[in-house]
Amino acid sequence: MKAEPAAQARLLHLQELDSELQLLAHRARTLPEIAEAAGLKERADRLETDLIAAQTKVSDVERQQRKAESDVDQVRSRADRDAKRLESGQITNAKELQNLQSEIASLGRRQAELEEVVLEVMERAEALDATVVRLTAEREEAVAEHTAVVARRDTAAAEIQWDRTRVAQDRERVAGEIPADLLALYDKLRAQYDGIGAAPLRYGRCGGCKLALSTVELNDIRAHAADEVVRCEDCRRILVRTEESGLGGRTEQ
Ligand SMILES: [Zn+2]
């Protein structure tokens, strides 16, 4: 393939722009805010789940509390009824009187037990309420942090996108000044070899694979006309001769 040395030199400019585009794309993909936002989202979701679980427990405990309180009320009203009967003086049968007194005593013990249950349930309810308050605050904080990080992430992404658009426009312009066959070869090699299709030959070394060319390879390149497109024997990329190629003599541009 043949191409004017100036067109070959433009290939190096195009490569710089393509490498910059590649770098910008990498930066857009690896913005630290992306991982940070994902982490905060996960934390907010986890807190939401914990909060729902705690709220469910609060409802359960509230139901237990109502049940325990109603049990206490029942026992108390029965004891009150018995006490009234006792005080009324209407019961004269000794056996019946004893039974009633024994029942009142038993109801008193039962009431004390149930009141213990009420207290215990109330303590659990208080602890759960505190948990709900804490989880609500933590979740709100995570959501607020997430919102802030997302805003920072989007601003950073928009700035990178702005740079990409500008560099892509430059690339379009420079690519337009390169012969179609040379450009097609370059694009094919770029796709094949890690984003680098053309590299400068500097001081006898390929800028693509960084390897020094052998004397035989350098002599071979010297033998080619300046408008002949040459390739690196090692990495197969287009090797563009520069003023510092280290070839000496007439092939220097
Ligand atoms: Zn090479």
Side-chain angles (χ1 to χ4, degrees):
M1 186 182 292
K2 283 187 181 297
E4 285 301 310
Q8 293 188 40
R10 248 175 237 126
L11 217 47
L12 291 180
H13 186 195
L14 190 67
Q15 180 64 70
E16 274 171 27
L17 295 170
D18 278 330
S19 295
E20 198 179 339
L21 283 173
Q22 206 176 15
L23 192 73
L24 288 168
H26 179 259
R27 261 177 55 200
R29 275 197 309 276
T30 57
L31 277 174
E33 287 88 351
I34 294 175
E36 208 183 327
L40 284 165
K41 174 80 172 63
E42 207 177 296
R43 177 168 158 73
D45 286 350
R46 200 167 53 240
L47 286 165
E48 170 85 26
T49 307
D50 291 352
L51 183 59
I52 290 168
Q55 282 165 337
T56 307
K57 278 189 197 159
V58 166
S59 308
D60 289 348
V61 167
E62 279 171 353
R63 198 162 46 242
Q64 284 169 21
Q65 192 180 337
R66 282 194 300 275
K67 167 79 166 64
E69 282 167 351
S70 122
D71 288 350
V72 169
D73 285 347
Q74 270 184 347
V75 171
R76 191 190 289 131
S77 61
R78 178 136 177 218
D80 286 350
R81 214 165 52 230
D82 286 354
K84 280 199 186 92
R85 278 181 69 203
L86 192 67
E87 287 157 11
S88 70
Q90 285 165 352
I91 299 161
T92 49
N93 180 301
K95 176 79 181 153
E96 211 179 315
L97 211 58
Q98 202 188 353
N99 283 347
L100 195 59
Q101 279 166 335
S102 146
E103 187 179 278
I104 289 171
S106 153
L107 286 169
R109 286 194 299 275
R110 180 78 188 119
Q111 186 178 334
E113 278 168 22
L114 287 170
E115 278 168 351
E116 275 296 309
V117 172
V118 170
L119 277 178
E120 189 244 324
V121 170
M122 277 170 74
E123 271 169 22
R124 259 166 47 211
E126 269 175 35
L128 280 169
D129 283 343
T131 302
V132 166
V133 168
R134 177 178 59 81
L135 288 172
T136 303
E138 283 180 13
R139 185 186 157 275
E140 275 173 15
E141 197 186 321
V143 168
E145 275 180 48
H146 178 255
T147 306
V149 170
V150 163
R152 281 213 314 277
R153 179 198 68 192
D154 291 350
T155 303
E159 279 168 12
I160 293 172
Q161 188 50 48
W162 195 86
D163 285 346
R164 286 172 84 172
T165 306
R166 184 178 49 76
V167 176
Q169 282 168 354
D170 283 355
R171 196 231 182 240
E172 191 85 357
R173 183 175 51 72
V174 174
E177 295 166 353
I178 294 168
D181 55 350
L182 182 62
L183 184 64
L185 175 65
Y186 162 78
D187 279 334
K188 195 186 97 186
L189 293 172
R190 192 164 60 87
Q192 220 170 333
Y193 300 118
D194 210 20
I196 300 182
L201 174 63
R202 278 205 182 101
Y203 308 110
R205 196 174 284 274
C206 166
C209 61
K210 316 289 180 200
L211 293 177
L213 275 68
S214 69
T215 312
V216 174
E217 286 166 338
L218 287 172
N219 282 337
D220 192 39
I221 290 173
R222 273 188 200 99
H224 284 95
D227 66 348
E228 189 69 38
V229 174
V230 296
R231 307 266 294 270
C232 170
E233 291 291 333
D234 289 300
C235 69
R236 302 306 300 149
R237 293 177 174 107
I238 297 167
L239 209 45
V240 180
R241 280 155 284 181
T242 67
E243 283 177 13
E244 308 105 15
S245 280
L247 293 169
R250 59 179 178 82
T251 46
E252 292 290 289
Q253 294 158 29

